[in-house]
Amino acid sequence: MVTGECSSGTIRTTFAAVPHRGTVFAAKATLVAAVMYVLTLLSCSTAYVVGDATPPEGRYAQGDPLPALFGIAASFAVAAVLGLAVGTLVRHSAGAVTTVIGLLLLPSLFGPLFGNAERWIAGLSPTAALEKLTQTSDAAADTVGSLGPWPSLLLVAAGTAGVSLAALLLRRRDV
């Protein structure tokens, strides 16, 4: 939503129409988060219904799906806003995609290299919040931290808010 405008130069038109750059970023972040939340909620709900109908009854333990579905949708919305903020900072599509993939995956990949600190390093990853929300077997406290799923998601959202605030430095940069 930002890098394409920066590369084509249409960001100048956007900022000419709305000179308050923080307002432009907030509108883009709201739109991207809302669209991602709705699409993820619909996709996950469909997957849950199909998955619930597929296996024989009693073979898999089922939990309450609603908190997890809402949390997963929120996790994807937070990741989308993170991508928007990084794209605003980097202003280049390939660089933004590479940075966001690194932010999402590297803590989980390199966490085991840090021994006892693995649960803290891997626990800060957005993928750790997602694993906790989906209640996978990989979401053990020794690998993804001891925070629960919702506090973990709030921690990731706080990190995304920090990156978004840094993206508001856009005000000081030329277009």
Side-chain angles (χ1 to χ4, degrees):
M1 289 191 66
V2 172
T3 59
E5 280 187 293
C6 288
S7 66
S8 68
T10 57
I11 193 79
R12 287 185 206 99
T13 306
T14 301
F15 288 146
V18 181
H20 301 285
R21 296 178 181 197
T23 304
V24 171
F25 180 80
K28 287 178 183 272
T30 302
L31 179 68
V32 103
V35 168
M36 185 58 72
Y37 186 86
V38 169
L39 286 176
T40 305
L41 188 61
L42 289 173
S43 300
C44 290
S45 298
T46 303
Y48 180 79
V49 168
V50 170
D52 191 37
T54 304
E57 196 168 317
R59 186 167 174 194
Y60 296 104
Q62 298 259 338
D64 186 17
L66 289 184
L69 291 175
F70 294 133
I72 292 167
S75 180
F76 275 82
V78 166
V81 173
L82 176 65
L84 177 71
V86 170
T88 302
L89 287 171
V90 176
R91 295 184 181 184
H92 191 268
S93 298
V97 168
T98 303
T99 302
V100 170
I101 289 175
L103 288 171
L104 293 176
L105 297 179
L106 289 180
S108 299
L109 292 174
F110 289 122
L113 298 175
F114 294 97
N116 292 336
E118 173 187 6
R119 66 188 185 126
W120 297 105
I121 293 170
L124 294 174
S125 169
T127 56
L130 192 61
E131 287 175 5
K132 292 174 187 179
L133 287 164
T134 58
Q135 303 162 358
T136 65
S137 59
D138 297 335
D142 58 337
T143 58
V144 291
S146 58
L147 281 177
W150 293 102
S152 183
L153 181 60
L154 287 175
L155 184 64
V156 172
T160 299
V163 174
S164 296
L165 287 176
L168 291 179
L169 292 176
L170 169 73
R171 251 181 252 178
R172 294 186 170 85
R173 298 193 318 190
D174 288 337
V175 183

